[in-house]
Amino acid sequence: MREFEPIRSLVGRSCLALDDGDFNGYLDLCAPEFAYRIVVWSPELGKDMVWLDHDRDGLAGLFETLPDHLQRSGRFSRHASVYTVEEYSDAGPYSVVSSVVVHHTDLGGRTQTLAVGRYLDTVVCIDGAYRLSAREVALETRDLGIGLHVPL
Amino acid sequence: MSSRDKKSWDASPDMPAGHFVSGDVYTDPDIYKDESEKVFAKAWRFACHDSELPEAFDYRVFEQDGQSLFAIRGEDGVIRSFLNVCSHRGAKLLDQPAGNAKLITCFYHRWTYDAHGHCAGIPRVSGYSGDVVSKETMGLREVRTETLHGLVFVTLDDAAPDLTSFVGKALDRFSEMLTGQPLEVFHYNRAVLDCNWKAWHETNMDLYHEFMHVVLRKTQVNAMPMKDRKLIVFKNGHGGSGGDMKAAYDGYKGFAGRGNDIPPLSGMAPTDFRFINLFPSTAIISRGTVVRIDTATPMGPDKTLLEMRGLGVMGEPEEHRRVRQRHHNQYWGPFGRNVPEDTIAAEACADSFRGHAGRYQIISRDEGLTGQDDAVLRAFYKEWALKTGRDPGQPVSS
Ligand code: FES
Ligand SMILES: [Fe+2]
């Protein structure tokens, strides 16, 4: 069996980077062609909705402007478990499916579940390093309360 | 320039009635009950867009004044609405938020209803003696439904004046945008907020809070002279922009060129910003290429169901839709630049009024229906006062 530990670690590090507000660290994990989307199925409309859609530059711009925004206080904790890794070919890319839960801890220290969903990642290996070339966050949760400015 | 003692803090502001609002309007359970009976049980309220029911027998479930309702399109093309309640023993009929049902079958004892609300079947009806229980007598409770510019409205009040007299001229400036091309809903999200419904809706009526949003600080407040902005209030408590406000998208990173890449909505320039608030709690807001419709439905004095829709051009090429969605998401939706800031503001005010630390909201900006005048808020509260019979500045007798 092939060793997928580096891919698991990549997904884990992407969570830690966003949790810690280390946005440059997050972008370092992304390939130049990185595409990020949050997709949500609407039973009301009977179709998929896109709630966020950025390429790498768009995401970098979003991160850059975050400090100017009035943001939800507290911290977010992303918990991802890699469930499956599939290789398109021996050299990748890899299709990686993770289950993800995001908790929010408010300034009083109270933690609540914010969202559940899946990361549907495409991972490539560039010069021996694994990088995200696409991430689709397929959200199950549709009521995010007051919402948030940062990607999940 | 001094801080204030309790007496000063608690005293009603020394300004004309209608220029301030007591915190009690957000928290008092009796006021909430009054609003339910005198505002929400009477008003015409936006339920959905007609594109959400494209085919015969398509239905859409929604909430109104604590009750579940559904709208359904008949084989005759007419949209009708009903309480989502079985005539037999009161079971909720439709569970899914949307679907298609030629016959609606109650799961409990399998009574059936058609899209006109007629009772179509009662198993073993012979077991009921007399003629009180029959297909003829056991129809659904129909709720008056009218469609204007593709917007489906309902009222629980059988005696309410018709929709056009309720809306008056408030939607005139929106008719071209809403009907100049076929629209469809591409975004829908719900959020339960910890605040009174008015605290949310005020964010739609208050222009002065543009300063809270960095996007608006950078793209809107200086895009045109404040004195050239026009606000307008209508009868029945509606109010909004009286002329188009402008946005200068170059001011915010990532927004430059917004709207030059896809056709704007009919009658809009890409940089136009136009909004109308329909009493009691629906807002229609357009930013050139997209339109948002939001509705706040009370779930209790301190809980509000916020529903938000984004609409684009029906049948447009996929690449246009993708851009239009992006334009929507730049400002709106749970990950937009603006909406999560408005929700923070609504809940922050609710926090203060909940514990009676906050006593009054001041809505006295008077810029002659230009700039960041509070006139739209005042028009809302004037109608609120008329409907509830309470003075917003002193709604409970001390
Ligand atoms: S409650 Fe609906 S059929 Fe009995
Ligand atoms: Fe706002």
Side-chain angles (χ1 to χ4, degrees):
Chain A
M1 206 175 98
R2 223 180 141 84
E3 184 52 71
F4 291 124
E5 201 45 45
I7 289 177
R8 286 204 170 81
S9 159
L10 173 72
V11 172
R13 280 184 291 144
S14 73
C15 292
L16 289 175
L18 285 181
D19 287 357
D20 292 340
D22 175 12
F23 300 124
N24 289 330
Y26 183 82
L27 291 172
D28 286 345
L29 303 173
C30 303
E33 74 277 10
F34 184 60
Y36 177 94
R37 298 206 312 164
I38 296 176
V39 176
V40 190
W41 167 257
S42 166
E44 296 89 358
L45 305 178
K47 54 190 169 203
D48 274 330
M49 301 178 286
V50 177
W51 283 2
L52 204 60
D53 177 9
H54 280 296
D55 58 17
R56 198 177 188 282
D57 284 349
L59 217 48
L62 183 153
F63 290 144
E64 198 182 313
T65 56
L66 276 180
D68 294 333
H69 279 276
L70 173 66
Q71 289 192 65
R72 186 176 188 149
S73 51
R75 278 179 62 88
F76 300 99
S77 311
R78 296 156 181 81
H79 307 257
S81 303
V82 175
Y83 281 1
T84 61
V85 177
E86 281 173 30
E87 287 172 274
Y88 291 115
S89 72
D90 264 2
Y94 306 86
S95 167
V96 182
V97 177
S98 310
S99 177
V100 62
V101 181
V102 184
H103 289 110
H104 175 253
T105 303
D106 68 21
L107 293 179
R110 181 159 181 252
T111 298
Q112 287 182 296
T113 305
L114 175 78
V116 300
R118 288 181 184 177
Y119 285 156
L120 310 175
D121 292 336
T122 305
V123 172
V124 291
C125 190
I126 306 169
D127 301 332
Y130 291 90
R131 294 285 176 262
L132 292 165
S133 83
R135 167 163 287 174
E136 183 169 301
V137 184
L139 267 188
E140 204 64 56
T141 305
R142 306 193 307 281
D143 180 347
L144 295 165
I146 62 173
L148 67 166
H149 286 93
V150 283
L152 291 175
Chain B
M1 197 109 47
S2 58
S3 61
R4 296 193 271 163
D5 61 11
K6 176 172 165 53
K7 187 163 168 247
S8 158
W9 183 251
D10 289 349
S12 54
D14 185 15
M15 48 179 71
H19 285 229
F20 61 94
V21 176
S22 160
D24 292 335
V25 307
Y26 309 102
T27 57
D28 187 274
D30 291 335
I31 295 178
Y32 181 78
K33 200 161 159 273
D34 267 5
E35 289 177 336
S36 166
E37 289 167 5
K38 298 173 181 173
V39 177
F40 286 92
K42 304 261 182 214
W44 283 98
R45 295 198 66 225
F46 173 74
C48 62
H49 188 255
D50 71 353
S51 67
E52 294 173 65
L53 308 165
E55 306 293 339
F57 312 119
D58 282 347
Y59 67 81
R60 185 78 175 78
V61 172
F62 56 95
E63 288 93 33
Q64 166 83 314
D65 195 34
Q67 309 182 30
S68 178
L69 284 78
F70 66 95
I72 185 164
R73 192 182 289 276
E75 73 293 336
D76 53 1
V78 176
I79 297 174
R80 299 176 178 84
S81 304
F82 305 94
L83 292 189
N84 190 11
V85 177
C86 181
S87 297
H88 177 219
R89 297 255 291 271
K92 186 174 180 180
L93 286 171
L94 294 165
D95 190 26
Q96 298 294 319
N100 182 281
K102 193 165 183 180
L103 269 187
I104 296 160
T105 303
C106 179
F107 70 93
Y108 203 174
H109 310 88
R110 301 195 69 79
W111 288 26
T112 51
Y113 304 92
D114 68 17
H116 292 253
H118 301 152
C119 180
I122 300 178
R124 299 195 58 244
V125 70
S126 58
Y128 292 104
S129 52
D131 51 12
V132 176
V133 177
S134 73
K135 286 198 283 185
E136 285 63 43
T137 57
M138 288 289 124
L140 298 177
R141 149 74 157 116
E142 185 161 357
V143 172
R144 287 176 64 199
T145 307
E146 289 185 34
T147 302
L148 183 62
H149 307 323
L151 312 176
V152 180
F153 288 83
V154 298
T155 177
L156 293 164
D157 181 6
D158 289 346
D162 61 19
L163 175 65
T164 47
S165 72
F166 171 73
V167 170
K169 294 183 176 310
L171 285 180
D172 286 5
R173 293 187 67 252
F174 283 77
S175 68
E176 189 184 344
M177 177 208 309
L178 293 171
T179 62
Q181 67 281 290
L183 294 179
E184 69 174 344
V185 182
F186 63 75
H187 174 97
Y188 175 83
N189 81 279
R190 299 156 63 94
V192 176
L193 302 181
D194 290 328
C195 66
N196 185 272
W197 65 277
K198 297 186 292 302
W200 164 260
H201 195 51
E202 284 165 4
T203 70
N204 286 323
M205 298 188 285
D206 159 25
L207 270 173
Y208 190 39
H209 89 281
E210 283 175 298
F211 290 124
M212 172 180 75
H213 298 296
V214 60
V215 170
L216 303 187
R217 287 200 301 274
K218 295 196 170 183
T219 63
Q220 198 163 285
V221 292
N222 294 317
M224 66 191 285
M226 284 284 175
K227 66 173 178 32
D228 293 344
R229 290 176 166 199
K230 298 273 176 288
L231 294 169
I232 189 164
V233 296
F234 298 94
K235 65 169 189 165
N236 297 333
H238 317 309
S241 51
D244 286 322
M245 294 183 193
K246 292 287 172 191
Y249 294 125
D250 291 357
Y252 186 78
K253 192 171 178 77
F255 281 31
R258 177 192 150 109
N260 298 332
D261 32 10
I262 52 168
L265 298 178
S266 193
M268 297 289 287
T271 52
D272 282 349
F273 171 50
R274 190 181 298 180
F275 65 96
I276 181 74
N277 296 287
L278 296 176
F279 188 87
S281 60
T282 296
I284 305 173
I285 305 168
S286 179
R287 287 191 175 277
T289 50
V290 284
V291 56
R292 155 184 151 197
I293 304 177
D294 75 58
T295 307
T297 302
M299 296 173 71
D302 214 17
K303 257 196 196 326
T304 297
L305 170 66
L306 173 60
E307 290 176 275
M308 296 193 145
R309 287 168 167 82
L311 288 85
V313 179
M314 186 183 280
E316 66 185 331
E318 214 174 291
E319 38 315 347
H320 285 195
R321 174 57 56 86
R322 191 163 179 195
V323 175
R324 213 174 293 277
Q325 264 172 340
R326 212 174 269 165
H327 290 173
H328 173 276
N329 295 339
Q330 281 177 338
Y331 284 92
W332 306 324
F335 295 90
R337 304 287 90 189
N338 274 16
V339 165
E341 298 177 332
D342 291 315
T343 50
I344 288 171
E347 289 197 351
C349 294
D351 272 353
S352 301
F353 291 116
R354 190 177 294 127
H356 299 279
R359 299 299 303 132
Y360 296 99
Q361 296 235 31
I362 292 168
I363 53 168
S364 61
R365 293 184 67 79
D366 181 0
E367 301 184 56
L369 286 167
T370 69
Q372 297 170 324
D373 198 323
D374 283 335
V376 176
L377 281 161
R378 286 193 294 274
F380 168 89
Y381 275 107
K382 201 169 161 192
E383 183 68 10
W384 184 90
L386 205 67
K387 290 281 182 278
T388 60
R390 293 173 186 264
D391 170 3
Q394 196 181 348
V396 285
S397 38
S398 43

